[in-house]
């Protein structure tokens, strides 16, 4: 027979009240802490969504500035996007507009000033920067910008930089490596084969 069976209702209620007196503050504190954590998490998620929406609106406004060909104002708006996911995307658009306006050095500076955690986007930025550096006669800097990237486009750009430096054997290897990674039906295959035979 259990001890609870021997206790009457009054004794059982006294034990429960005693236990609640000892542990009540901890229970209430735990519930309050749990509710605070849930509320804080929901606030944080809402804040992130709000900031993302604001950044998207700033990005759209900056694109409109680019369409109006006001590059100085667009550069100023780039600074407001710098720490957002849209910063690198806008930098690519701004650099393209600067190239179209014959401002190659400004485009190089724009691409060099971009920081992003996205490896794929970083790779595209480095490829475009390397192409501009080759065009500016800075092929060695272009090779440094590419780093150790070994995707098809990076290998092709690396080969272009090596040709500009007069390193034809290295360029052949880069073009060959790019061709081995490229699909047989890819549209840029013909250009790569032409570069290799040249």
């Amino acid at each position: 027979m259990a001890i609870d069976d021997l206790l009457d209702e009054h004794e059982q209620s006294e034990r429960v009240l005693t236990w609640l007196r000892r542990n009540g503050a901890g229970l209430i504190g735990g519930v309050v802490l749990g509710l605070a954590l849930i509320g804080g998490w929901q606030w944080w998620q809402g804040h992130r969504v709000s900031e993302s929406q604001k950044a998207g609106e700033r990005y759209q406004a900056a694109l409109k500035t680019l369409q109006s060909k006001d590059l100085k104002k667009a550069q100023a708006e780039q600074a407001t996007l710098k720490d957002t996911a849209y910063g690198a995307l806008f930098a690519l658009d701004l650099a393209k507009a600067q190239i179209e306006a014959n401002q190659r050095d400004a485009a190089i500076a724009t691409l060099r000033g971009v920081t992003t955690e996205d490896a794929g986007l970083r790779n595209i930025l480095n490829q475009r920067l390397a192409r501009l550096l080759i065009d500016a006669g800075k092929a060695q800097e272009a090779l440094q910008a590419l780093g150790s990237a070994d995707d098809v486009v990076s290998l092709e750009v690396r080969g272009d930089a090596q040709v500009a430096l007069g390193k034809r054997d290295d360029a052949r290897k880069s073009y060959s490596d790019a061709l081995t990674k490229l699909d047989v039906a890819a549209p840029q295959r013909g250009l790569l084969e032409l570069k290799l035979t040249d």
Side-chain angles (χ1 to χ4, degrees), residues 46-62:
H47 176 71
R48 287 181 58 199
V49 167
S50 173
E51 289 298 312
S52 179
Q53 288 173 341
K54 288 177 186 175
E57 291 167 2
R58 288 194 311 265
Y59 178 65
Q60 290 299 322

Side-chain angles (χ1 to χ4, degrees), residues 65-111:
T65 302
L66 265 183
Q67 290 170 351
S68 69
K69 306 288 186 206
D70 189 354
L71 295 181
K72 289 189 184 216
K73 186 176 178 186
Q75 284 176 316
E77 290 179 355
Q78 181 192 12
T80 66
L81 294 168
K82 199 166 199 137
D83 295 329
T84 69
Y86 298 101
L89 295 174
F90 185 70
L92 289 169
D93 293 330
L94 178 59
K96 180 181 177 186
Q98 289 169 326
I99 292 296
E100 291 169 354
N102 293 323
Q103 297 177 4
R104 181 185 60 213
D105 292 338
I108 290 171
T110 297
L111 292 177

Side-chain angles (χ1 to χ4, degrees), residues 4 14 29 35 43 51 58 67 71 73 75 78 82 88 106 108 115 126-127 130 132 141 144 161 173 175 177 184 197:
D4 288 339
E14 283 299 317
L35 291 174
W43 174 85
E51 289 298 312
R58 288 194 311 265
Q67 290 170 351
L71 295 181
K73 186 176 178 186
Q75 284 176 316
Q78 181 192 12
K82 199 166 199 137
I108 290 171
T115 56
N126 289 340
Q127 291 164 1
L132 288 174
E141 289 181 41
Q144 292 170 352
K173 181 176 179 346
Y175 291 143
D177 290 346
V184 177
T197 56

